[in-house]
Amino acid sequence: MLKFFAPAIFSFTVMILGLGLDHIFPQDWFGGYLRLGWYLVAYIPVGLPVLKEALKSITKGDVFSEFFLMGIATLGAFAIGEYPEGVAVMLFYSVGEVFQGMAVRKAKTNIKTLLDQRPDEVTVLEGNTTKTIKAEKAQIGDIIQLKPGEKLGLDGELLSEKASFNTAALTGESKPDSKKKGAVVLAGMVNLNTVSQVQVTAAYTDSKLSRILELVQNATAQKAPTELFIRKFAKIYTPIVVYLAIGICFLPYLFVHDYEFSDWLYRALVFLVISCPCGLVISIPLGYFGGIGAASKNGILFKGSNFLDSLAEIKEVVMDKTGTMTEGIFKVQEVHLRPEFEGTKILDFVNSLESKSSHPIAGAVKDHVGEIDFDIVPENIEEIAGHGLRAQVEGKELLVGNFKLMDRFSIPYSIDPTGVAYTLVAIAYDGKFAGYLTIADSIKSDALRTIDRLKSMGIGITMLSGDKSNVVKFVADQLGIPHSFGDLLPEDKVEKVKEIKAQKGTVAFVGDGVNDAPVVAISDVGIAMGGLGSDATIETADVVIQDDRPIKIPMAISIGKSTKQIVWQNIGFAFGIKVLVLILGALGLASMWAAVFADVGVALLAILNAIRIQKMRFE
């Protein structure tokens, strides 16, 4: 840190000694070229880098940069003999720049440290021996041994029968997560109790954590409208104030009888220092940095600062049911099979076919039926979106899905699906209706609190699902969600969201980010729940909630609102102070010292306000 401040400390020491020789212990010898040289020695360490930046900007076609403003203001001060003021302006500007740089670096480092907690080395099993290697050298298929308390360095599959992991680095939640053999485990998770073995399934650079880290670090590339506006504004504003400063210096000659060039040049220089937009230009992106950092700390990833702004304006949250407001952990409640079918055989067929699907219902069927019979080999498997699965088993057609699948293939059945408040899995074999399973899901523990919080924020809520309408209504009623629609295919959801957008305005859609990609694309903000489990989620969503807690939905909106509030506080404060001191400067009532406060002081106060969001609590 000292190396950043060393030039400023040197300049400050020389300037203070000079001021002492000027005013406290005046010396006859301290004058003329010697005094000029003394203050130049103070000026060069802080002024030269700024003048170099100004020249670099001019060669790139950006004449009216903040470096140019500071350069002409301080050199002008030297030209009229105001050496201490010239040094002071450049000194405090340089100190402000160092603080700004430190604040940006800290914001970036906080995000990186928060997310990238992978160990540099891993212990790999080779036969009966272990070997420690660099994590990036580990190959897919290698077996990693994890001791209790060790962090996993790469994504993999658990080979041990069971293990518990702390997933705080990924989800923001420190609650132990128990995993069974075959479960996916991710880089950054901490092994808690027993020695565990994990088989590497992705290279170091391809881990979910690597992709998330890249996503968050690149988030600042997508600028918020406010940020883009300020940058465009600064490009127009800066040349205007330079021309106004020239006007302040020369135009009074036409109207003022006792015109004194050095007096009006001093006023023009004060005007230039005050008008420098650096406080605004740095504090606004820093505010968005802070928002992205605060969200990351709470396990919420924003793909760009523009989505912080968009979430702050959300009028309606449209959400999926399964996996968003419910656990997505299904259990078979009842089995109803027609007597002419051999129950065990049909269920084995269903279990074998469902094992090819990633839908949570497949897990419920496996838990109920038991191990898969690998002698049964489904062929020509086809997944029909919003309906279910179709395949050939033992030369005959097997259909497993909802009752819309039965209707699609003209399979007659005798029950009324709308009369059952459970999710139903209908089965047909060889063109005949074989029966159905009833499957239930449970509502997440914080789902009700989520809905209450959204309502208290004045945000409307709608639930859309491909599940049966009566099941969707049952869940919506329990949570107090006023509008719910079921039996929707992906394209139906798109139409519903379009209708809601037309009526309500800005809409956020919350889902699993895989099946709902078309809806995510047309919503103003696409939010994916539990995004660590899915590559597609990270690709399609604008905001990724790393764990499965719906309470993070209103939290993300609160972070968006707080970020926008802080950004506009900075804009209002900076403009207010600058306009006041600009007027005083033009009237000759503000000195160069006041100008320094209006520029550097305002910038530092705005920076402190911007980083405040990282300390806020949003629970």
Side-chain angles (χ1 to χ4, degrees), residues 119-158:
D120 294 326
E121 296 180 329
V122 292
T123 304
V124 175
L125 276 177
E126 290 184 351
N128 296 321
T129 61
T130 59
K131 181 175 150 188
T132 302
I133 61 169
K134 292 282 183 190
E136 61 261 32
K137 301 284 185 189
Q139 303 291 315
I140 293 171
D142 283 355
I143 295 171
I144 295 173
Q145 182 171 284
L146 273 181
K147 293 174 187 169
E150 275 190 334
K151 230 170 231 169
L152 183 58
L154 300 98
D155 292 356
E157 182 183 311
L158 185 65

Side-chain angles (χ1 to χ4, degrees), residues 521-542:
I522 66 147
S523 57
D524 296 289
V525 182
I527 304 174
M529 296 285 289
L532 286 173
S534 161
D535 288 343
T537 301
I538 294 171
E539 298 300 330
T540 58
D542 305 316

Side-chain angles (χ1 to χ4, degrees), residues 192-499:
L192 292 178
N193 302 323
T194 57
V195 175
S196 304
Q197 292 181 3
V198 173
Q199 186 167 40
V200 176
T201 56
Y204 185 80
T205 51
D206 295 331
S207 70
K208 293 285 191 302
L209 201 57
S210 291
R211 305 214 15 227
I212 288 163
L213 183 62
E214 185 185 351
L215 180 155
V216 176
Q217 288 184 317
N218 291 340
T220 48
Q222 292 197 54
K223 307 293 182 192
T226 317
E227 201 173 342
L228 292 170
F229 164 73
I230 289 296
R231 287 182 180 276
K232 286 177 185 172
F233 173 80
K235 285 186 181 296
I236 300 165
Y237 161 87
T238 311
I240 288 172
V241 295
V242 170
Y243 293 129
L244 284 174
I246 293 168
I248 288 168
C249 182
F250 294 108
L251 286 177
Y253 177 76
L254 304 173
F255 309 104
V256 178
H257 294 295
D258 55 346
Y259 175 79
E260 184 75 40
F261 174 73
S262 61
D263 177 39
W264 286 98
L265 177 59
Y266 183 80
R267 293 187 192 191
L269 297 174
V270 168
F271 187 87
L272 277 179
V273 173
I274 299 162
S275 63
C276 180
C278 57
L280 279 174
V281 170
I282 190 67
S283 68
I284 289 166
L286 197 58
Y288 287 110
F289 256 126
I292 288 168
S296 299
K297 191 176 176 181
N298 287 286
I300 303 164
L301 305 179
F302 280 83
K303 275 195 175 176
S305 48
N306 50 329
F307 299 118
L308 281 162
D309 265 9
S310 299
L311 264 188
E313 301 299 322
I314 288 297
K315 299 290 186 289
E316 185 88 7
V317 171
V318 180
M319 54 184 63
D320 190 22
K321 176 181 73 71
T322 308
T324 302
M325 303 309 284
T326 65
E327 294 288 356
I329 300 169
F330 292 89
K331 287 186 179 174
V332 174
Q333 306 296 312
E334 299 168 339
V335 178
H336 298 273
L337 292 175
R338 294 177 67 169
E340 62 264 35
F341 289 92
E342 191 183 328
T344 308
K345 189 176 181 180
I346 285 292
L347 288 177
D348 280 340
F349 286 176
V350 171
N351 195 19
S352 183
L353 179 56
E354 284 285 2
S355 70
K356 311 298 179 189
S357 169
S358 59
H359 197 282
I361 283 175
V365 172
K366 184 178 181 296
D367 288 344
H368 181 78
V369 178
E371 289 303 315
I372 295 157
D373 184 348
F374 290 103
D375 291 332
I376 300 167
V377 183
E379 296 174 329
N380 304 325
I381 299 168
E382 181 187 356
E383 186 158 354
I384 302 163
H387 290 76
L389 297 166
R390 177 193 188 194
Q392 295 289 318
V393 178
E394 294 186 355
K396 294 174 182 174
E397 186 179 66
L398 175 68
L399 300 172
V400 180
N402 54 32
F403 277 86
K404 284 187 284 185
L405 184 68
M406 302 296 111
D407 295 336
R408 179 166 176 157
F409 288 93
S410 305
I411 306 291
Y413 49 86
S414 55
I415 73 150
D416 177 12
T418 59
V420 184
Y422 284 126
T423 300
L424 299 179
V425 177
I427 307 159
Y429 185 61
D430 194 19
K432 296 170 192 163
F433 181 64
Y436 64 94
L437 313 178
T438 63
I439 291 179
D441 191 5
S442 54
I443 292 170
K444 288 182 180 176
S445 57
D446 57 348
L448 187 59
R449 191 155 57 99
T450 301
I451 301 304
D452 290 342
R453 183 122 179 245
L454 287 170
K455 285 179 177 176
S456 71
M457 295 167 85
I459 294 167
I461 309 147
T462 302
M463 181 179 277
L464 304 181
S465 179
D467 210 341
K468 288 192 329 176
S469 292
N470 55 338
V471 176
V472 178
K473 188 175 187 307
F474 177 73
V475 172
D477 288 347
Q478 282 188 297
L479 294 174
I481 296 173
H483 310 291
S484 64
F485 303 91
D487 291 308
L488 299 175
L489 297 172
E491 56 267 32
D492 300 328
K493 288 184 183 179
V494 169
E495 290 307 313
K496 278 288 175 196
V497 169
K498 282 181 181 175
E499 284 175 28

Side-chain angles (χ1 to χ4, degrees), residues 103-122:
V104 170
R105 278 192 297 276
K106 189 172 188 300
K108 284 184 174 178
T109 306
N110 280 353
I111 292 169
K112 190 174 191 306
T113 307
L114 192 71
L115 290 173
D116 197 5
Q117 299 192 23
R118 293 169 296 183
D120 294 326
E121 296 180 329
V122 292

Side-chain angles (χ1 to χ4, degrees), residues 22-48:
D22 272 339
H23 302 291
I24 302 170
F25 310 107
Q27 302 292 324
D28 293 336
W29 54 267
F30 190 65
Y33 286 114
L34 179 64
R35 184 171 178 263
L36 170 63
W38 184 276
Y39 281 111
L40 277 174
V41 168
Y43 179 84
I44 287 167
V46 289
L48 200 58

Side-chain angles (χ1 to χ4, degrees), residues 144-184:
I144 295 173
Q145 182 171 284
L146 273 181
K147 293 174 187 169
E150 275 190 334
K151 230 170 231 169
L152 183 58
L154 300 98
D155 292 356
E157 182 183 311
L158 185 65
L159 297 181
S160 305
E161 285 303 318
K162 58 181 180 178
S164 286
F165 292 88
N166 180 331
T167 62
L170 302 168
T171 64
E173 295 296 313
S174 55
K175 190 171 76 171
D177 187 3
S178 296
K179 303 281 187 185
K180 291 182 181 178
K181 185 176 180 178
V184 172

Side-chain angles (χ1 to χ4, degrees), residues 92-110:
F92 290 116
Y93 174 74
S94 298
V95 169
E97 285 290 295
V98 171
F99 275 119
Q100 289 165 20
M102 283 172 61
V104 170
R105 278 192 297 276
K106 189 172 188 300
K108 284 184 174 178
T109 306
N110 280 353

